[in-house]
């Protein structure tokens, strides 16, 4: 019993349940709890860039060959493109078959809410994405700095300081993760209190379709990728269950990103592969967001009875292959990408976004969780592909019941 009540998973589950109750029965109070979720995410975000810098710098400096850095990076980008394109096509096919938009009545648009996404869509572009995405900037700088250390003759002292800093950054992160239940409580309470369970009813078919499609993608596509290297998707999901619950409660994959990087290392992936693949995947391997974007666009076409031609479908898929890469895993950014895609295609009214505003938050959890799992699977696959994976570590990690940040008393 003591193990149950000192386990982070238990407390996050309790927090999610309490948040749902407060959101439903005390909506005004629930909305005021939003800062709990927001502040938790903001604190975790403080750790993301230092961890990326330390992990990549130490990883590349210890690689020995810079050709290996280029090879791993190239393989990662190729993997991202193949898997996200597959996710995109799955979303299109499932939506085309199930037709979740048929019979849904349009509602009066909310121009004041739509305008901010339309404005964001106008400024959307690759250069603006890089300028506004600090994670990508830190990733590029870290690669350059790691390359410098790799060639610098007297780098041992610098690497010693970086290793020391890395140790204490992760210790601090472990302490912050103890507040994850509060973040999950605030996130779930606000979502249900603000939008209400009833907002889901008119668009229930779309929500069910999205959740089922992402579940199929996780267990069939990602499961097959892991099975290729004789790794169980169920064991991996059980291993990262705490992080998945945190992502569920906060609707943001950022909230557990640093912890995922640490766990991937503990289960046998090399520091260098983790450092390169996870941060890059955070911006370029958003499987859940890609699925949702394709489904949302076809859903709106069905709502407005727009019969898309094969040429238009091909154009939409082509545009999404580009715009989806800019949907960094932050709540709300997917909407700007959706608006930019609708603006580029100019077939479906952008006002249709008003239909999705109420339920988008509820589907954000599915997107974030799928993105999160997808990046974990990508890292494991590429680590195996590079012979940078220790199966013994994985077997120990999968059977270990108590993780380091759970040893603290809650």
């Amino acid at each position: 019993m003591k193990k149950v009540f000192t386990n982070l998973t238990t407390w996050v589950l309790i927090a999610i349940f309490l948040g749902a109750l407060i959101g439903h029965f005390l909506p005004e109070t629930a909305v005021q709890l939003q800062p709990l979720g927001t502040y938790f995410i903001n604190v975790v975000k403080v750790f993301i860039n230092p961890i990326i810098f330390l992990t990549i710098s130490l990883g590349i400096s210890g690689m020995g060959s810079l050709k290996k850095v280029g090879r791993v990076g190239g393989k990662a980008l190729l993997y991202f493109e193949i898997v996200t394109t597959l996710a995109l096509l799955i979303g299109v096919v499932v939506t085309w078959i199930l037709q979740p938009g048929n019979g849904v009545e349009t509602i009066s648009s909310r121009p004041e809410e739509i305008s901010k996404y339309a404005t964001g869509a106008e400024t959307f572009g690759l250069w603006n994405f890089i300028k506004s995405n600090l994670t990508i900037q830190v990733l590029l700088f870290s690669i350059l700095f790691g390359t410098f250390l790799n060639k610098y003759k007297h780098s041992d002292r610098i690497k010693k300081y970086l290793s020391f800093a890395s140790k204490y950054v992760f210790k601090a992160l472990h302490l912050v993760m103890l507040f994850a239940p509060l973040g999950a409580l605030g996130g779930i309470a606000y979502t249900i209190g603000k939008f209400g369970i009833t907002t889901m009813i008119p668009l229930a078919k779309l929500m069910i379709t999205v959740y089922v499609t992402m579940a199929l993608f996780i267990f069939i596509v990602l499961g097959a990728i892991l099975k290729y290297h004789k790794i169980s998707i169920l064991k991996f999901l059980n291993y990262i269950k705490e992080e998945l619950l945190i992502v569920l409660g906060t609707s943001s994959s950022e909230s557990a990103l640093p912890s995922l990087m640490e766990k991937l290392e503990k289960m046998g992936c090399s520091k260098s592969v983790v450092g390169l693949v996870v941060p890059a995947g955070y911006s370029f391997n958003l499987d859940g967001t890609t699925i949702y974007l394709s489904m949302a666009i076809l859903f709106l076409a069905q709502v407005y009875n727009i019969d898309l031609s094969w040429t238009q479908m091909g154009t939409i898929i082509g545009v999404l292959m580009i715009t989806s890469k800019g949907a960094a895993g932050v709540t709300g950014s997917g909407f700007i990408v959706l608006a930019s895609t609708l603006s580029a295609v100019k077939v479906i009214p952008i006002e249709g976004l008003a239909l999705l505003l109420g339920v988008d938050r509820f589907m954000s959890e599915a997107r974030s969780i799928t993105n999160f799992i997808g990046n974990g699977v990508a890292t494991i696959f590429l680590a195996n592909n590079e012979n940078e994976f220790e199966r013994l570590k994985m077997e120990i990690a999968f059977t270990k019941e108590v993780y380091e940040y759970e040893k603290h008393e809650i």
Side-chain angles (χ1 to χ4, degrees):
M1 185 62 69
K2 181 181 178 182
K3 185 182 291 186
V4 170
F5 284 99
T6 56
N7 188 294
L8 189 65
T9 306
T10 303
W11 287 102
V12 174
L13 279 171
I14 292 172
I16 289 173
F17 178 70
L18 289 177
L21 290 178
I22 295 171
H24 184 65
F25 294 106
L26 300 169
E28 292 183 3
T29 303
V31 171
Q32 295 175 1
L33 295 177
Q34 183 189 15
L36 289 177
T38 304
Y39 291 155
F40 175 73
I41 294 174
N42 288 341
V43 172
V44 173
K45 283 167 73 173
V46 171
F47 288 87
I48 291 176
N49 292 320
I51 286 175
I52 288 173
F53 170 72
L54 292 166
T55 304
I56 293 180
S57 298
L58 288 169
I60 292 178
S61 64
M63 267 188 171
S65 171
L66 292 180
K67 288 183 180 179
K68 184 177 178 182
V69 178
R71 186 175 68 245
V72 173
K75 284 182 179 179
L77 292 176
L78 179 61
Y79 173 95
F80 296 159
E81 190 57 47
I82 292 172
V83 176
T84 52
T85 300
L86 182 59
L88 183 63
L89 293 173
I90 289 173
V92 169
V93 170
V94 173
T95 311
W96 183 71
I97 293 173
L98 297 182
Q99 300 282 314
N102 284 351
V104 176
E105 296 182 5
T106 57
I107 57 176
S108 58
S109 62
R110 289 169 269 185
E112 70 283 353
E113 294 185 68
I114 298 300
S115 61
K116 63 180 179 181
Y117 298 113
T119 303
E122 291 173 3
T123 60
F124 178 82
L126 181 61
W127 177 241
N128 286 329
F129 164 62
I130 294 175
K131 285 198 301 183
S132 61
N133 193 319
L134 183 59
T135 301
I136 290 294
Q137 296 169 18
V138 172
L139 173 64
L140 294 174
F141 175 77
S142 302
I143 291 172
L144 292 174
F145 188 72
T147 303
F148 163 74
L149 289 181
N150 191 287
K151 293 294 184 182
Y152 184 49
K153 292 182 179 179
H154 307 289
S155 63
D156 288 346
R157 178 177 292 184
I158 298 175
K159 288 194 283 188
K160 181 180 177 182
Y161 288 127
L162 291 178
S163 298
F164 179 82
S166 178
K167 177 183 176 182
Y168 284 95
V169 165
F170 277 111
K171 280 193 173 184
L173 174 65
H174 296 159
L175 294 175
V176 170
M177 294 305 289
L178 295 177
F179 293 92
L182 290 178
L185 173 69
I188 288 291
Y190 169 76
T191 298
I192 295 178
K194 174 74 173 177
F195 301 104
I197 299 292
T198 55
T199 60
M200 297 189 292
I201 296 174
L203 302 178
K205 190 176 179 181
L206 173 63
M207 286 197 59
I208 292 171
T209 304
V210 168
Y211 272 83
V212 169
T213 304
M214 293 192 186
L216 291 173
F217 179 80
I218 290 169
F219 290 104
I220 295 177
V221 177
L222 298 182
I225 291 172
L226 285 186
K227 191 174 182 180
Y228 179 77
H229 288 295
K230 298 179 181 179
I231 299 172
S232 167
I233 184 71
L234 293 177
K235 288 183 179 180
F236 175 61
L237 295 180
N238 180 62
Y239 177 60
I240 59 168
K241 61 182 180 294
E242 290 86 4
E243 287 72 23
L244 292 177
L245 287 172
I246 293 166
V247 173
L248 173 67
T250 59
S251 295
S252 172
S253 54
E254 279 187 322
S255 57
L257 189 67
S259 184
L260 174 67
M261 294 177 71
E262 183 181 24
K263 279 199 168 181
L264 287 170
E265 281 189 54
K266 285 185 176 180
M267 72 169 282
C269 298
S270 70
K271 182 184 287 289
S272 55
V273 173
V274 172
L276 281 171
V277 177
V278 175
Y282 176 71
S283 293
F284 299 108
N285 186 44
L286 302 175
D287 301 325
T289 302
T290 304
I291 290 172
Y292 171 71
L293 290 173
S294 61
M295 297 183 78
I297 287 179
L298 290 188
F299 167 79
L300 292 177
Q302 293 163 9
V303 169
Y304 285 100
N305 293 314
I306 298 170
D307 189 14
L308 296 171
S309 66
W310 288 107
T311 303
Q312 290 171 327
M313 289 275 287
T315 302
I316 288 173
I317 291 172
V319 171
L320 279 174
M321 285 176 67
I322 299 170
T323 56
S324 62
K325 300 298 183 291
V330 184
T331 303
S333 62
F335 241 96
I336 293 176
V337 173
L338 191 56
S340 69
T341 306
L342 293 177
S343 300
V345 176
K346 295 180 180 177
V347 176
I348 303 165
I350 196 171
E351 291 77 17
L353 289 178
L355 268 173
L356 300 173
L357 283 173
V359 295
D360 181 73
R361 180 80 187 195
F362 292 102
M363 290 187 283
S364 178
E365 287 90 350
R367 294 199 300 268
S368 298
I369 287 174
T370 307
N371 292 339
F372 190 78
I373 296 170
N375 284 322
V377 170
T379 307
I380 295 169
F381 177 84
L382 290 164
N384 274 278
N385 189 263
E386 281 292 309
N387 294 317
E388 295 278 345
F389 187 79
E390 298 180 47
R391 295 193 70 87
L392 180 60
K393 277 189 175 182
M394 179 192 73
E395 291 167 6
I396 294 172
F398 280 3
T399 56
K400 194 175 181 181
E401 294 184 4
V402 180
Y403 302 110
E404 189 175 343
Y405 61 71
E406 292 177 351
K407 291 179 183 177
H408 301 275
E409 292 294 325
I410 296 185

